[in-house]
Coordinates of all heavy atoms in Angstrom, one line a residue:
M1474 N 14.6 -22.1 -8.8 CA 13.4 -22.0 -9.8 C 13.5 -23.2 -10.7 O 14.5 -23.7 -11.1 CB 13.8 -20.7 -10.6 CG 12.6 -20.3 -11.4 SD 12.9 -18.8 -12.4 CE 12.4 -17.6 -11.2
K1475 N 12.3 -23.7 -10.8 CA 12.0 -24.9 -11.7 C 12.6 -24.6 -13.0 O 12.4 -23.6 -13.7 CB 10.6 -25.2 -11.7 CG 10.2 -26.5 -12.3 CD 8.8 -26.7 -12.1 CE 8.0 -27.1 -13.3 NZ 6.6 -27.3 -13.1
E1476 N 13.4 -25.5 -13.6 CA 14.1 -25.4 -14.8 C 13.2 -25.5 -16.1 O 13.4 -24.9 -17.1 CB 15.3 -26.3 -15.0 CG 16.4 -25.9 -14.0 CD 17.0 -24.6 -14.2 OE1 17.1 -24.2 -15.4 OE2 17.1 -23.9 -13.3
E1477 N 12.3 -26.5 -16.0 CA 11.4 -26.8 -17.2 C 9.9 -26.5 -17.0 O 9.4 -26.6 -15.9 CB 11.5 -28.3 -17.5 CG 12.9 -28.7 -17.9 CD 13.4 -28.1 -19.2 OE1 12.6 -28.0 -20.1 OE2 14.6 -27.8 -19.2
I1478 N 9.2 -26.2 -18.0 CA 7.8 -26.0 -18.0 C 7.2 -26.8 -19.1 O 8.1 -27.2 -20.0 CB 7.3 -24.5 -18.1 CG1 7.7 -23.9 -19.4 CG2 7.8 -23.8 -16.9 CD1 7.2 -22.5 -19.6
S1479 N 6.0 -27.0 -19.1 CA 5.3 -27.8 -20.2 C 5.7 -27.1 -21.6 O 5.6 -25.9 -21.7 CB 3.9 -27.8 -20.1 OG 3.5 -28.6 -18.8
I1480 N 5.9 -27.9 -22.5 CA 6.4 -27.4 -23.8 C 5.4 -26.5 -24.4 O 5.8 -25.6 -25.2 CB 6.6 -28.6 -24.8 CG1 7.4 -28.2 -26.1 CG2 5.5 -29.4 -25.2 CD1 8.8 -27.6 -25.7
K1481 N 4.1 -26.6 -24.2 CA 3.1 -25.8 -24.8 C 3.2 -24.3 -24.3 O 2.8 -23.4 -25.1 CB 1.7 -26.3 -24.4 CG 1.4 -26.4 -23.0 CD 0.1 -27.1 -22.7 CE -0.1 -27.4 -21.3 NZ -0.9 -28.5 -21.1
Y1482 N 3.9 -24.1 -23.2 CA 4.1 -22.7 -22.7 C 5.3 -22.0 -23.4 O 5.3 -20.8 -23.5 CB 4.1 -22.6 -21.2 CG 2.9 -23.1 -20.6 CD1 3.0 -24.3 -19.8 CD2 1.7 -22.4 -20.7 CE1 1.8 -24.8 -19.2 CE2 0.5 -23.0 -20.1 CZ 0.6 -24.1 -19.4 OH -0.5 -24.7 -18.8
T1483 N 6.2 -22.8 -23.9 CA 7.5 -22.2 -24.3 C 7.2 -21.4 -25.6 O 8.0 -20.5 -25.9 CB 8.6 -23.2 -24.6 OG1 8.1 -24.2 -25.5 CG2 9.0 -23.9 -23.3
S1484 N 6.1 -21.6 -26.3 CA 5.8 -20.8 -27.5 C 5.0 -19.6 -27.1 O 4.9 -18.7 -28.0 CB 5.0 -21.7 -28.5 OG 3.8 -22.1 -28.0
I1485 N 4.5 -19.5 -25.9 CA 3.7 -18.4 -25.5 C 4.5 -17.5 -24.6 O 4.4 -16.2 -24.7 CB 2.5 -19.0 -24.7 CG1 1.6 -19.9 -25.6 CG2 1.7 -17.8 -24.1 CD1 0.6 -20.6 -24.8
I1486 N 5.3 -18.0 -23.7 CA 6.1 -17.1 -22.8 C 7.5 -17.7 -22.6 O 7.6 -18.9 -22.5 CB 5.3 -17.0 -21.4 CG1 6.0 -15.9 -20.6 CG2 5.3 -18.3 -20.7 CD1 5.2 -15.5 -19.4
K1487 N 8.5 -16.9 -22.5 CA 9.8 -17.3 -22.3 C 10.2 -17.0 -20.9 O 9.7 -16.1 -20.2 CB 10.8 -16.6 -23.2 CG 10.4 -16.8 -24.7 CD 10.8 -18.1 -25.2 CE 10.5 -18.2 -26.7 NZ 9.8 -19.3 -27.0
R1488 N 11.2 -17.6 -20.4 CA 11.7 -17.4 -19.0 C 12.1 -16.0 -18.8 O 11.9 -15.3 -17.8 CB 12.9 -18.3 -18.7 CG 13.5 -18.1 -17.3 CD 14.7 -19.0 -17.1 NE 14.5 -19.5 -15.7 CZ 14.7 -20.7 -15.4 NH1 15.2 -21.6 -16.2 NH2 14.6 -21.0 -14.1
E1489 N 12.7 -15.4 -19.9 CA 13.1 -14.0 -19.9 C 12.0 -13.0 -19.7 O 12.1 -12.0 -18.9 CB 13.9 -13.6 -21.1 CG 15.1 -14.4 -21.4 CD 14.8 -15.7 -22.1 OE1 14.0 -15.8 -23.0 OE2 15.5 -16.8 -21.6
N1490 N 10.8 -13.3 -20.3 CA 9.6 -12.5 -20.1 C 9.1 -12.5 -18.6 O 8.8 -11.5 -18.0 CB 8.5 -13.1 -21.0 CG 8.7 -13.0 -22.4 OD1 8.7 -14.1 -23.0 ND2 8.9 -11.8 -23.0
I1491 N 9.2 -13.7 -18.0 CA 8.8 -13.8 -16.6 C 9.8 -13.1 -15.7 O 9.3 -12.4 -14.8 CB 8.6 -15.3 -16.1 CG1 7.6 -15.9 -16.9 CG2 8.6 -15.5 -14.6 CD1 7.4 -17.5 -16.7
E1492 N 11.0 -13.2 -16.0 CA 12.0 -12.4 -15.1 C 11.8 -10.9 -15.3 O 11.9 -10.2 -14.3 CB 13.5 -12.8 -15.6 CG 13.9 -14.3 -15.2 CD 13.6 -14.7 -13.7 OE1 14.0 -13.7 -12.8 OE2 13.1 -15.7 -13.4
K1493 N 11.5 -10.4 -16.4 CA 11.4 -9.0 -16.7 C 10.1 -8.6 -15.9 O 10.0 -7.5 -15.4 CB 11.2 -8.7 -18.2 CG 12.5 -8.6 -18.9 CD 12.3 -8.2 -20.3 CE 13.6 -8.2 -21.1 NZ 13.5 -7.8 -22.5
F1494 N 9.0 -9.4 -16.0 CA 7.7 -9.1 -15.4 C 8.0 -9.0 -13.9 O 7.6 -8.1 -13.2 CB 6.7 -10.3 -15.6 CG 5.4 -10.0 -15.0 CD1 4.5 -9.1 -15.4 CD2 5.2 -10.7 -13.8 CE1 3.2 -8.9 -14.7 CE2 4.0 -10.6 -13.1 CZ 3.0 -9.7 -13.6
K1495 N 8.7 -10.0 -13.3 CA 8.9 -10.1 -11.8 C 9.7 -8.8 -11.3 O 9.5 -8.3 -10.3 CB 9.5 -11.3 -11.4 CG 8.6 -12.5 -11.5 CD 9.3 -13.8 -11.1 CE 10.0 -13.8 -9.8 NZ 10.7 -15.0 -9.5
S1496 N 10.6 -8.3 -12.2 CA 11.5 -7.2 -11.8 C 10.9 -5.9 -12.1 O 11.4 -4.9 -11.7 CB 12.8 -7.4 -12.5 OG 12.7 -7.1 -13.9
G1497 N 9.7 -5.9 -12.7 CA 9.1 -4.6 -13.0 C 9.5 -4.0 -14.3 O 9.2 -2.8 -14.5
N1498 N 10.3 -4.6 -15.0 CA 10.9 -4.1 -16.2 C 10.2 -4.6 -17.6 O 10.7 -4.3 -18.6 CB 12.3 -4.4 -16.3 CG 13.2 -3.7 -15.2 OD1 12.9 -2.5 -15.0 ND2 14.0 -4.4 -14.5
S1499 N 9.0 -5.1 -17.5 CA 8.4 -5.7 -18.6 C 7.4 -4.6 -19.2 O 6.7 -4.0 -18.5 CB 7.5 -6.9 -18.3 OG 6.7 -7.3 -19.4
I1500 N 7.6 -4.3 -20.5 CA 6.8 -3.3 -21.2 C 5.8 -4.0 -22.1 O 5.0 -3.3 -22.6 CB 7.6 -2.3 -22.0 CG1 8.3 -3.0 -23.1 CG2 8.5 -1.4 -21.0 CD1 9.0 -2.0 -24.0
D1501 N 5.8 -5.3 -22.1 CA 4.9 -6.0 -23.0 C 4.1 -7.1 -22.3 O 3.6 -8.1 -23.0 CB 5.5 -6.5 -24.3 CG 6.6 -7.5 -23.9 OD1 7.0 -7.8 -22.8 OD2 7.2 -8.0 -24.9
S1502 N 3.9 -7.1 -21.0 CA 3.3 -8.2 -20.3 C 1.8 -8.3 -20.7 O 1.2 -9.4 -20.6 CB 3.4 -8.1 -18.8 OG 2.8 -6.8 -18.4
Y1503 N 1.2 -7.3 -21.3 CA -0.1 -7.3 -21.8 C -0.3 -8.4 -22.9 O -1.4 -8.9 -23.2 CB -0.6 -6.0 -22.3 CG 0.1 -5.5 -23.5 CD1 -0.4 -5.8 -24.8 CD2 1.3 -4.8 -23.4 CE1 0.3 -5.4 -25.9 CE2 2.0 -4.4 -24.5 CZ 1.5 -4.7 -25.8 OH 2.2 -4.2 -26.9
K1504 N 0.9 -8.7 -23.5 CA 0.9 -9.7 -24.6 C 0.6 -11.2 -24.2 O 0.2 -12.0 -24.9 CB 2.2 -9.7 -25.4 CG 2.3 -8.4 -26.2 CD 3.6 -8.5 -26.9 CE 3.8 -7.1 -27.8 NZ 5.1 -7.1 -28.5
Y1505 N 0.9 -11.5 -22.9 CA 0.8 -12.8 -22.4 C 0.1 -13.0 -21.1 O -0.5 -14.0 -20.7 CB 2.2 -13.5 -22.2 CG 3.2 -12.6 -21.5 CD1 3.3 -12.7 -20.2 CD2 4.2 -11.9 -22.2 CE1 4.2 -12.0 -19.5 CE2 5.1 -11.2 -21.5 CZ 5.2 -11.2 -20.2 OH 6.1 -10.5 -19.6
M1506 N 0.0 -12.0 -20.3 CA -0.8 -12.1 -19.0 C -2.3 -11.9 -19.4 O -2.7 -11.3 -20.2 CB -0.3 -11.0 -18.0 CG 1.1 -11.1 -17.6 SD 1.5 -12.7 -16.7 CE 0.8 -12.4 -15.2
G1507 N -3.1 -12.5 -18.5 CA -4.5 -12.5 -18.8 C -4.9 -13.7 -19.6 O -4.3 -14.7 -19.5
S1508 N -5.9 -13.4 -20.5 CA -6.3 -14.5 -21.4 C -6.1 -14.0 -22.8 O -6.5 -12.9 -23.2 CB -7.8 -14.9 -21.2 OG -8.6 -13.9 -21.5
H1509 N -5.6 -15.0 -23.7 CA -5.4 -14.6 -25.1 C -5.7 -15.8 -26.0 O -5.3 -16.9 -25.7 CB -3.9 -14.1 -25.4 CG -3.6 -13.0 -24.6 ND1 -3.8 -11.7 -25.0 CD2 -3.0 -12.9 -23.3 CE1 -3.3 -10.8 -24.1 NE2 -2.9 -11.5 -23.1
I1510 N -6.3 -15.6 -27.0 CA -6.5 -16.6 -28.1 C -5.1 -16.9 -28.8 O -4.5 -15.9 -29.3 CB -7.5 -16.3 -29.1 CG1 -8.9 -16.2 -28.4 CG2 -7.6 -17.2 -30.2 CD1 -10.1 -15.7 -29.2
V1511 N -4.7 -18.1 -28.8 CA -3.4 -18.5 -29.4 C -3.6 -19.8 -30.3 O -4.6 -20.5 -30.1 CB -2.3 -18.7 -28.3 CG1 -2.1 -17.5 -27.5 CG2 -2.7 -19.8 -27.4
T1512 N -2.6 -19.9 -31.1 CA -2.6 -21.2 -31.9 C -1.4 -22.0 -31.4 O -0.3 -21.4 -31.3 CB -2.4 -20.9 -33.4 OG1 -3.6 -20.2 -33.8 CG2 -2.4 -22.3 -34.1
H1513 N -1.6 -23.2 -31.0 CA -0.5 -24.1 -30.5 C -0.6 -25.3 -31.3 O -1.7 -26.0 -31.3 CB -0.6 -24.3 -29.0 CG 0.4 -25.3 -28.5 ND1 1.7 -25.0 -28.4 CD2 0.2 -26.6 -28.1 CE1 2.3 -26.2 -27.9 NE2 1.4 -27.0 -27.8
E1514 N 0.5 -25.7 -32.0 CA 0.5 -27.0 -32.8 C -0.7 -27.1 -33.6 O -1.4 -28.1 -33.6 CB 0.7 -28.2 -31.8 CG 2.0 -28.2 -31.2 CD 2.2 -29.4 -30.3 OE1 1.4 -30.2 -30.2 OE2 3.4 -29.5 -29.7
D1515 N -1.0 -26.0 -34.4 CA -2.1 -26.0 -35.4 C -3.6 -26.1 -34.7 O -4.5 -26.4 -35.4 CB -2.0 -27.1 -36.4 CG -0.7 -26.9 -37.3 OD1 -0.4 -25.8 -37.5 OD2 -0.1 -27.9 -37.7
S1516 N -3.7 -25.9 -33.5 CA -5.0 -25.9 -32.8 C -5.1 -24.6 -32.1 O -4.2 -24.1 -31.5 CB -5.2 -27.0 -31.8 OG -4.4 -26.9 -30.7
K1517 N -6.4 -24.0 -32.2 CA -6.6 -22.8 -31.5 C -7.2 -23.0 -30.1 O -7.9 -24.0 -29.9 CB -7.5 -21.9 -32.3 CG -7.0 -21.3 -33.5 CD -7.8 -20.2 -34.1 CE -7.1 -19.6 -35.2 NZ -7.8 -18.5 -35.9
G1518 N -6.9 -22.2 -29.2 CA -7.4 -22.2 -27.9 C -7.1 -21.0 -27.1 O -6.8 -19.9 -27.7
V1519 N -7.2 -21.0 -25.8 CA -7.0 -19.8 -25.0 C -5.9 -20.1 -24.1 O -5.7 -21.1 -23.4 CB -8.3 -19.4 -24.3 CG1 -8.0 -18.2 -23.3 CG2 -9.4 -18.9 -25.2
S1520 N -4.9 -19.2 -24.0 CA -3.9 -19.1 -23.0 C -4.3 -18.3 -21.8 O -4.7 -17.2 -22.0 CB -2.5 -18.6 -23.6 OG -1.6 -18.3 -22.6
F1521 N -4.2 -18.8 -20.6 CA -4.5 -18.0 -19.5 C -3.2 -17.8 -18.6 O -2.4 -18.9 -18.4 CB -5.5 -18.8 -18.6 CG -6.9 -19.0 -19.2 CD1 -7.1 -20.2 -19.9 CD2 -7.8 -18.1 -19.1 CE1 -8.3 -20.4 -20.4 CE2 -9.1 -18.2 -19.6 CZ -9.4 -19.4 -20.4
M1522 N -2.9 -16.7 -18.1 CA -1.8 -16.5 -17.3 C -2.2 -15.4 -16.2 O -2.8 -14.4 -16.5 CB -0.5 -16.0 -18.1 CG 0.0 -17.1 -18.8 SD 1.7 -16.8 -19.4 CE 1.7 -18.1 -20.6
V1523 N -1.8 -15.6 -15.0 CA -2.1 -14.7 -13.9 C -0.9 -14.7 -12.9 O -0.2 -15.7 -12.8 CB -3.4 -15.2 -13.2 CG1 -3.3 -16.6 -12.6 CG2 -3.9 -14.1 -12.2
W1524 N -0.7 -13.6 -12.3 CA 0.3 -13.4 -11.2 C -0.3 -13.6 -9.9 O -1.2 -13.0 -9.4 CB 0.8 -11.9 -11.3 CG 1.7 -11.5 -10.3 CD1 1.6 -10.5 -9.4 CD2 3.1 -12.0 -10.0 NE1 2.6 -10.3 -8.6 CE2 3.6 -11.2 -9.0 CE3 3.8 -13.0 -10.6 CZ2 4.9 -11.4 -8.5 CZ3 5.1 -13.2 -10.0 CH2 5.6 -12.5 -9.0
A1525 N 0.2 -14.7 -9.3 CA -0.3 -15.1 -8.0 C 0.9 -15.7 -7.2 O 0.9 -17.0 -7.0 CB -1.4 -16.1 -8.1
P1526 N 1.8 -14.9 -6.8 CA 3.1 -15.4 -6.2 C 2.9 -16.1 -4.9 O 3.8 -17.0 -4.6 CB 3.9 -14.1 -6.0 CG 2.9 -13.0 -5.9 CD 1.8 -13.4 -6.8
N1527 N 1.9 -15.9 -4.1 CA 1.7 -16.7 -2.9 C 0.7 -17.8 -2.9 O 0.5 -18.4 -1.9 CB 1.3 -15.7 -1.8 CG 2.3 -14.6 -1.6 OD1 3.5 -14.9 -1.5 ND2 1.9 -13.4 -1.5
A1528 N 0.2 -18.0 -4.0 CA -0.7 -19.1 -4.2 C -0.1 -20.4 -4.2 O 1.0 -20.7 -4.7 CB -1.6 -19.0 -5.5
K1529 N -0.9 -21.5 -3.7 CA -0.3 -22.9 -3.7 C -0.9 -23.6 -4.9 O -0.4 -24.5 -5.4 CB -0.7 -23.6 -2.4 CG 0.1 -23.0 -1.2 CD -0.2 -23.7 0.0 CE 0.5 -22.9 1.1 NZ 0.9 -23.6 2.3
E1530 N -2.2 -23.1 -5.4 CA -2.9 -23.7 -6.4 C -3.7 -22.6 -7.1 O -4.2 -21.7 -6.4 CB -3.8 -24.8 -6.0 CG -3.1 -26.0 -5.4 CD -4.1 -27.2 -4.9 OE1 -5.2 -26.7 -4.5 OE2 -3.7 -28.3 -5.0
V1531 N -3.8 -22.7 -8.4 CA -4.7 -21.8 -9.2 C -5.5 -22.6 -10.2 O -4.8 -23.4 -10.8 CB -3.9 -20.6 -9.8 CG1 -4.9 -19.7 -10.6 CG2 -3.1 -19.9 -8.8
Y1532 N -6.7 -22.3 -10.3 CA -7.6 -23.0 -11.3 C -8.2 -22.0 -12.2 O -8.5 -20.9 -11.7 CB -8.7 -23.8 -10.6 CG -8.0 -24.9 -9.7 CD1 -7.6 -24.6 -8.4 CD2 -7.9 -26.2 -10.2 CE1 -7.0 -25.6 -7.6 CE2 -7.3 -27.1 -9.4 CZ -6.9 -26.9 -8.2 OH -6.3 -27.9 -7.4
V1533 N -8.6 -22.4 -13.4 CA -9.5 -21.7 -14.2 C -10.9 -22.4 -14.3 O -10.9 -23.6 -14.5 CB -9.0 -21.6 -15.7 CG1 -9.9 -20.8 -16.6 CG2 -7.6 -20.9 -15.7
T1534 N -11.8 -21.6 -14.1 CA -13.2 -22.2 -14.1 C -14.2 -21.3 -15.0 O -13.8 -20.2 -15.2 CB -13.8 -22.4 -12.7 OG1 -15.0 -23.0 -12.8 CG2 -14.0 -21.1 -12.0
G1535 N -15.1 -21.9 -15.7 CA -15.9 -21.2 -16.4 C -17.1 -22.0 -17.1 O -17.3 -23.2 -16.7
E1536 N -17.8 -21.5 -18.0 CA -18.9 -22.2 -18.7 C -18.4 -23.4 -19.4 O -19.1 -24.3 -19.5 CB -19.5 -21.2 -19.8 CG -20.2 -20.0 -19.1 CD -20.6 -19.0 -20.2 OE1 -20.0 -18.9 -21.3 OE2 -21.7 -18.4 -20.0
F1537 N -17.3 -23.4 -19.8 CA -16.6 -24.5 -20.5 C -16.4 -25.7 -19.7 O -16.3 -26.9 -20.2 CB -15.3 -24.2 -21.2 CG -14.2 -23.6 -20.2 CD1 -13.4 -24.4 -19.6 CD2 -14.2 -22.3 -20.0 CE1 -12.5 -23.9 -18.7 CE2 -13.3 -21.7 -19.1 CZ -12.4 -22.5 -18.4
N1538 N -16.4 -25.6 -18.3 CA -16.3 -26.8 -17.5 C -17.4 -26.8 -16.4 O -17.2 -27.4 -15.4 CB -14.8 -26.9 -16.9 CG -14.5 -25.7 -15.9 OD1 -15.4 -24.9 -15.6 ND2 -13.3 -25.7 -15.5
N1539 N -18.5 -26.1 -16.8 CA -19.7 -26.1 -15.9 C -19.3 -25.5 -14.5 O -19.8 -26.0 -13.5 CB -20.3 -27.5 -15.7 CG -20.9 -27.9 -17.0 OD1 -21.7 -27.2 -17.7 ND2 -20.7 -29.1 -17.4
W1540 N -18.3 -24.6 -14.5 CA -17.9 -24.0 -13.3 C -17.4 -24.9 -12.2 O -17.4 -24.6 -11.0 CB -19.0 -23.0 -12.7 CG -19.4 -22.0 -13.6 CD1 -20.5 -22.0 -14.5 CD2 -18.7 -20.8 -14.0 NE1 -20.6 -20.9 -15.3 CE2 -19.5 -20.1 -15.0 CE3 -17.5 -20.2 -13.5 CZ2 -19.1 -18.9 -15.6 CZ3 -17.1 -18.9 -14.0 CH2 -17.9 -18.3 -15.0
N1541 N -16.8 -26.0 -12.6 CA -16.1 -27.0 -11.8 C -14.7 -26.4 -11.5 O -13.8 -26.6 -12.3 CB -16.0 -28.3 -12.5 CG -15.4 -29.4 -11.7 OD1 -14.8 -29.1 -10.6 ND2 -15.4 -30.6 -12.1
W1542 N -14.5 -25.8 -10.3 CA -13.2 -25.2 -10.1 C -12.1 -26.1 -10.1 O -10.9 -25.5 -10.3 CB -13.4 -24.4 -8.7 CG -13.4 -25.4 -7.6 CD1 -14.5 -25.9 -7.0 CD2 -12.3 -25.9 -6.8 NE1 -14.1 -26.7 -5.9 CE2 -12.8 -26.7 -5.8 CE3 -10.9 -25.7 -7.0 CZ2 -11.8 -27.4 -5.0 CZ3 -10.0 -26.5 -6.1 CH2 -10.6 -27.3 -5.1
G1543 N -12.1 -27.3 -9.8 CA -11.0 -28.2 -9.8 C -10.6 -29.0 -11.0 O -9.6 -29.6 -11.1
S1544 N -11.3 -28.7 -12.2 CA -11.0 -29.4 -13.3 C -9.9 -28.9 -14.2 O -9.4 -29.6 -15.1 CB -12.3 -29.7 -14.2 OG -12.7 -28.4 -14.7
H1545 N -9.5 -27.7 -14.1 CA -8.5 -27.0 -14.9 C -7.4 -26.3 -14.1 O -7.4 -25.1 -14.0 CB -9.1 -26.1 -15.9 CG -9.8 -26.8 -17.0 ND1 -11.1 -27.1 -16.9 CD2 -9.3 -27.1 -18.2 CE1 -11.5 -27.6 -18.1 NE2 -10.4 -27.7 -18.9
P1546 N -6.5 -27.1 -13.4 CA -5.4 -26.5 -12.6 C -4.4 -25.8 -13.5 O -4.1 -26.3 -14.6 CB -4.8 -27.8 -11.8 CG -5.1 -28.9 -12.7 CD -6.4 -28.6 -13.5
M1547 N -3.9 -24.8 -13.0 CA -2.9 -24.0 -13.7 C -1.4 -24.4 -13.2 O -1.3 -25.0 -12.2 CB -3.0 -22.5 -13.5 CG -4.4 -22.0 -14.0 SD -4.6 -20.2 -13.8 CE -3.7 -19.6 -15.2
E1548 N -0.5 -24.2 -14.0 CA 0.9 -24.6 -13.7 C 1.7 -23.3 -13.3 O 1.6 -22.4 -13.9 CB 1.6 -25.2 -14.9 CG 3.0 -25.6 -14.7 CD 3.7 -26.2 -16.0 OE1 2.9 -26.5 -17.0 OE2 4.8 -26.4 -15.9
N1549 N 2.4 -23.4 -12.2 CA 3.3 -22.3 -11.7 C 4.6 -22.4 -12.6 O 5.5 -23.2 -12.4 CB 3.7 -22.6 -10.2 CG 4.4 -21.4 -9.6 OD1 4.7 -20.5 -10.3 ND2 4.5 -21.4 -8.3
L1550 N 4.6 -21.4 -13.6 CA 5.7 -21.5 -14.6 C 7.0 -21.1 -13.9 O 7.2 -20.0 -13.5 CB 5.3 -20.6 -15.7 CG 3.9 -20.7 -16.3 CD1 3.6 -19.7 -17.4 CD2 3.8 -22.2 -16.9
Y1551 N 8.0 -22.1 -14.1 CA 9.4 -22.0 -13.4 C 9.3 -21.6 -12.0 O 10.2 -21.0 -11.5 CB 10.1 -20.9 -14.3 CG 10.3 -21.0 -15.7 CD1 9.7 -20.2 -16.6 CD2 11.1 -22.1 -16.2 CE1 9.9 -20.4 -18.0 CE2 11.3 -22.3 -17.5 CZ 10.7 -21.4 -18.5 OH 10.9 -21.6 -19.7
D1552 N 8.3 -22.0 -11.2 CA 8.1 -21.6 -9.9 C 8.2 -20.2 -9.6 O 8.8 -19.7 -8.6 CB 9.1 -22.5 -9.0 CG 8.7 -23.9 -8.9 OD1 7.5 -24.3 -9.0 OD2 9.7 -24.7 -8.8
S1553 N 7.6 -19.4 -10.5 CA 7.8 -18.0 -10.5 C 6.7 -17.2 -9.9 O 6.9 -16.0 -9.7 CB 8.0 -17.5 -12.0 OG 6.8 -17.7 -12.8
G1554 N 5.6 -17.8 -9.7 CA 4.4 -17.1 -9.2 C 3.5 -16.7 -10.4 O 2.4 -16.1 -10.2
V1555 N 4.0 -16.8 -11.6 CA 3.2 -16.7 -12.8 C 2.6 -18.0 -13.2 O 3.3 -19.0 -13.4 CB 4.0 -16.1 -14.1 CG1 3.1 -16.1 -15.3 CG2 4.5 -14.8 -13.7
W1556 N 1.3 -18.1 -13.2 CA 0.6 -19.4 -13.4 C 0.0 -19.3 -14.8 O -0.6 -18.4 -15.2 CB -0.5 -19.6 -12.3 CG 0.0 -19.6 -10.9 CD1 0.4 -18.7 -10.2 CD2 0.1 -20.9 -10.2 NE1 0.9 -19.2 -9.0 CE2 0.6 -20.6 -8.9 CE3 -0.3 -22.2 -10.5 CZ2 0.8 -21.5 -7.9 CZ3 -0.1 -23.1 -9.4 CH2 0.4 -22.7 -8.2
G1557 N 0.0 -20.5 -15.5 CA -0.4 -20.6 -16.9 C -1.2 -21.8 -17.1 O -1.0 -22.8 -16.5
L1558 N -2.0 -21.7 -18.1 CA -2.8 -22.9 -18.6 C -3.2 -22.6 -20.1 O -3.6 -21.4 -20.4 CB -4.0 -23.1 -17.8 CG -5.0 -24.3 -18.1 CD1 -4.3 -25.6 -18.1 CD2 -6.2 -24.2 -17.3
Y1559 N -3.2 -23.6 -20.9 CA -3.7 -23.5 -22.3 C -4.8 -24.5 -22.4 O -4.7 -25.6 -22.0 CB -2.6 -23.9 -23.3 CG -3.2 -24.0 -24.7 CD1 -3.4 -22.9 -25.4 CD2 -3.3 -25.3 -25.2 CE1 -3.9 -23.0 -26.8 CE2 -3.8 -25.4 -26.5 CZ -4.1 -24.3 -27.3 OH -4.6 -24.4 -28.5
I1560 N -6.0 -24.0 -22.9 CA -7.2 -24.8 -23.0 C -7.5 -24.8 -24.6 O -7.9 -23.8 -24.9 CB -8.3 -24.4 -22.1 CG1 -7.9 -24.5 -20.7 CG2 -9.5 -25.4 -22.4 CD1 -9.0 -23.9 -19.7
E1561 N -7.3 -25.9 -25.2 CA -7.7 -26.0 -26.6 C -9.1 -26.0 -26.8 O -10.0 -26.5 -26.0 CB -7.2 -27.4 -27.1 CG -7.3 -27.6 -28.6 CD -6.7 -28.9 -29.1 OE1 -5.8 -29.5 -28.3 OE2 -7.1 -29.4 -30.0
G1562 N -9.5 -25.4 -28.0 CA -10.9 -25.4 -28.3 C -11.7 -24.1 -27.9 O -12.8 -24.0 -28.3
L1563 N -11.2 -23.4 -26.8 CA -12.0 -22.2 -26.5 C -11.9 -21.1 -27.4 O -10.9 -21.0 -28.1 CB -11.5 -21.8 -25.1 CG -11.6 -22.8 -23.9 CD1 -11.2 -22.2 -22.6 CD2 -13.0 -23.3 -23.8
S1564 N -12.8 -20.2 -27.4 CA -12.9 -19.1 -28.4 C -13.2 -17.8 -27.6 O -13.3 -17.7 -26.5 CB -14.0 -19.3 -29.3 OG -15.2 -19.4 -28.8
D1565 N -13.0 -16.7 -28.4 CA -13.3 -15.4 -27.9 C -14.7 -15.3 -27.3 O -15.6 -15.8 -27.8 CB -13.2 -14.4 -29.1 CG -13.1 -12.9 -28.6 OD1 -12.6 -12.7 -27.5 OD2 -13.4 -12.1 -29.4
G1566 N -14.7 -14.6 -26.2 CA -15.9 -14.4 -25.4 C -16.2 -15.5 -24.4 O -17.3 -15.4 -23.7
T1567 N -15.3 -16.4 -24.2 CA -15.6 -17.5 -23.2 C -15.5 -16.8 -21.8 O -14.7 -16.0 -21.5 CB -14.4 -18.5 -23.3 OG1 -14.4 -19.1 -24.5 CG2 -14.5 -19.6 -22.2
V1568 N -16.5 -17.1 -21.0 CA -16.7 -16.5 -19.6 C -15.9 -17.5 -18.7 O -16.0 -18.7 -18.7 CB -18.1 -16.4 -19.2 CG1 -18.2 -15.9 -17.8 CG2 -18.8 -15.6 -20.1
Y1569 N -15.0 -16.8 -17.8 CA -14.1 -17.6 -17.0 C -13.8 -16.8 -15.7 O -14.0 -15.6 -15.7 CB -12.8 -18.1 -17.7 CG -11.9 -16.8 -17.9 CD1 -10.8 -16.6 -17.0 CD2 -12.0 -16.1 -19.0 CE1 -10.0 -15.4 -17.1 CE2 -11.2 -14.9 -19.2 CZ -10.2 -14.7 -18.3 OH -9.4 -13.6 -18.5
K1570 N -13.3 -17.5 -14.8 CA -12.7 -16.8 -13.5 C -11.4 -17.6 -13.2 O -11.4 -18.8 -13.4 CB -13.7 -16.9 -12.4 CG -14.9 -15.9 -12.5 CD -15.8 -16.0 -11.3 CE -17.0 -15.1 -11.5 NZ -17.8 -15.1 -10.3
Y1571 N -10.6 -17.0 -12.4 CA -9.4 -17.7 -11.8 C -9.9 -18.1 -10.4 O -10.5 -17.5 -9.7 CB -8.2 -16.8 -11.7 CG -7.7 -16.4 -13.0 CD1 -7.7 -15.1 -13.5 CD2 -7.1 -17.4 -13.8 CE1 -7.1 -14.8 -14.7 CE2 -6.6 -17.0 -15.1 CZ -6.6 -15.7 -15.5 OH -6.1 -15.4 -16.7

């Protein structure tokens, strides 16, 4: 399993959260899976996380990037199958798809 992830995710999700999620013992995955408005280093944006263990690539697309599927690739966090991305400046109600 990859040891490091981008620093921006360490304030959103911990390795322990991912391990609990993968083992089926997470009771609070709703706090980080899906999309959530978060503040990272004094800037607001949206954190996206999705479970896609067999995916080779995952992207977030939406109105914010004119539905350009390749412009916002997600990171496979700790090579766990949980994919994440933080996009600064997005707000509540943003329309998106994985």
